[in-house]
Amino acid sequence: MKFISTRGGECVTGAQAIAQGIACDGGLFVPETFPPVSKEELEAMLPMSYAERAAAVLYKYLDDYDLEELKAACEKAYGKFEEGDAAPLVKIDTSLYMLELFHGPTCAFKDLALTLLPYLLRKGCDLSGIKEQILILVATSGDTGKAALEGFKDAEGVKIMVFYPHDGVSKMQKLQMATQEGKNVNVLGVRGNFDECQSAVKRIFTDEDCREDLKKRGYILSSANSINFGRLAPQIAYYFSAYLDLVSSGQIELGDKVNFAVPTGNFGNILAAYYAKRMGLPVGKLICASNKNNILTDFFRTGVYDKRREFYKTMSPSMDILISSNLERLLFEFAERSPVRVSMRMQKLAEEGMYRLYEDELEAMQQEFWADFCDEEQTVETIYDFFEEYQYPMDTHTACAMYAASVYMAENKKDGAPMVVVSTASPYKFPQDVMYAITGNDIKDSFKAIKHLNIATAMKVPASLAGLRDKPVRFTAVADREDLYANVLSFVEKG
Ligand SMILES: *Cc1c(COP(=O)(O)O)cnc(C)c1O
């Protein structure tokens, strides 16, 4: 399987696509074709464990890797999840399910990809003949940073530095990063919002002088952000697994369609669902849920992507994004895979802050996607309502998806397909907001909120969050956007 750039020009192997992260022309790597999965193959996957299913899906794209080695890597990565199940499916009501992706080391769905990425990246570099040390720079809106730090801590031949918007992440997210262990890690707060933080990090990636300079010091740059195909590929697997679980538990017949509702920010998670569908998984509608930053809702409704709008800080910070990087991959598919059309739009977005789809592209997209957004009040209400009715506590991001799913189901009664809502974080990651939504109590201290949330819901507290309280804080530095590279250099020079 070969990978091509959304902006044309480049054609590489899976290993190279992952090692490189982003194409030289600034585009994103996409598979040359979608590898089909037949009904017989789906049947054969029914009795498999999650790790085996994941390896089977990954190998469809990464056929330059070794299948047995991939299996072993998946088993190791997903062995780090609570109770040995990386993606359990929970039935909430008739035709309504939760795909819980928060049982990993950092309690967010990013763990599904980032526990595996160290292997995919190291192997990708080895297969591509890259001998240098890898320096990973990550811009995070909260959850990616911690999951990447945890995934790469003390990995051989790798250093990782994470940048987060100083005032743009939750208390718990900040504490998770500030207390990170490992000899090869660094964390820096950046003044500005997530988009500004991400742009500043991107500038280092695209600056030839920085690259040269780092190379002289024995490092090559790589990214653990969701633009890396190595982040996307492991996410495709859980859509297959959720579907197979519905079949093996007798909820559906193999071949029946299933809808997925996904809380969306950078468009990585929901794009993986679309890739699964293109491979042949019987998926109906994909529900793209946003928070008050509803640029994607507007996009799917009107075909206009317009980032010239106010940026809101919400209680679902991992979705506080105006530039969804992975949307470029979707655009490529609906623009008849024309790199010229994609480049034109990306240039227009950079220069004018907006672009517009053709009418037929929009119509084709609306066949596959349905979008809505959930404001702050609706987030609180959704958490409250579902706890009242089902005693099921959900986090603030998941609530956005549940809200959108509910609206879709109410408006499209004829679509009888089961709905799987993708749950992306543990409620304990945002304990104050969830506690407030469920009980009306406004608790300032995160650990007190965890304790009371546990009393109110009887849901088990993840050990990794409860344990944060006693961990020493290692990283408190904050920098201006102009000073990121200087900070990178001093981290690299520390040896
Ligand atoms: C990252 C994240 C999202 C958004 O996922 P994308 O792949 O960026 O669309 C949603 N919820 C949580 C909890 C997240 O950490």
Side-chain angles (χ1 to χ4, degrees), residues 48 98 113 130 180 192 216 218 237 301 318 381 425-426 450 471:
M48 291 184 185
M98 277 281 177
I130 293 167
Q180 179 63 45
K216 264 189 249 149
R301 288 180 183 172
S318 300
E381 232 171 73
S426 161
I450 286 185
K471 280 198 171 172

Side-chain angles (χ1 to χ4, degrees), residues 66-190:
D66 179 77
L67 180 58
E68 289 310 313
E69 221 183 273
L70 261 177
K71 261 189 214 156
C74 287
E75 251 140 40
K76 184 162 164 244
Y78 300 128
K80 292 178 184 149
F81 283 63
E82 266 177 36
E83 285 153 36
D85 193 352
L89 193 68
V90 177
K91 184 164 185 170
I92 302 290
D93 201 344
T94 317
S95 282
L96 182 63
Y97 304 83
M98 277 281 177
L99 177 57
E100 292 186 348
L101 300 178
F102 55 76
H103 296 288
T106 76
C107 307
F109 90 94
K110 309 285 197 299
D111 287 328
L112 275 290
L114 282 160
T115 48
L116 194 63
L117 189 64
Y119 163 75
L120 294 177
L121 188 60
R122 186 66 258 170
K123 184 76 184 177
C125 286
D126 293 348
L127 289 170
S128 315
I130 293 167
K131 304 239 162 33
E132 284 93 347
Q133 293 230 46
I134 305 168
L135 174 63
I136 295 173
L137 304 181
V138 182
T140 182
S141 58
D143 291 328
T144 300
K146 176 63 184 180
L149 288 163
E150 202 50 44
F152 282 100
K153 77 170 175 212
D154 296 327
E156 280 300 316
V158 180
K159 278 194 166 192
I160 174 164
M161 184 157 181
V162 167
F163 306 88
Y164 67 90
H166 177 54
D167 291 319
V169 300
S170 82
K171 280 187 197 170
M172 213 52 170
Q173 289 174 323
K174 197 182 276 194
L175 192 62
Q176 275 188 311
M177 292 189 277
T179 55
Q180 179 63 45
E181 293 164 352
K183 289 191 282 292
N184 60 339
V185 305
N186 195 8
V187 177
L188 187 67
V190 179

Side-chain angles (χ1 to χ4, degrees), residues 435 439 441 443 447-457:
M435 185 64 193
T439 66
N441 290 337
I443 301 173
F447 294 101
K448 258 194 215 159
I450 286 185
K451 190 175 136 208
H452 287 281
L453 190 57
N454 175 247
I455 294 168
T457 65

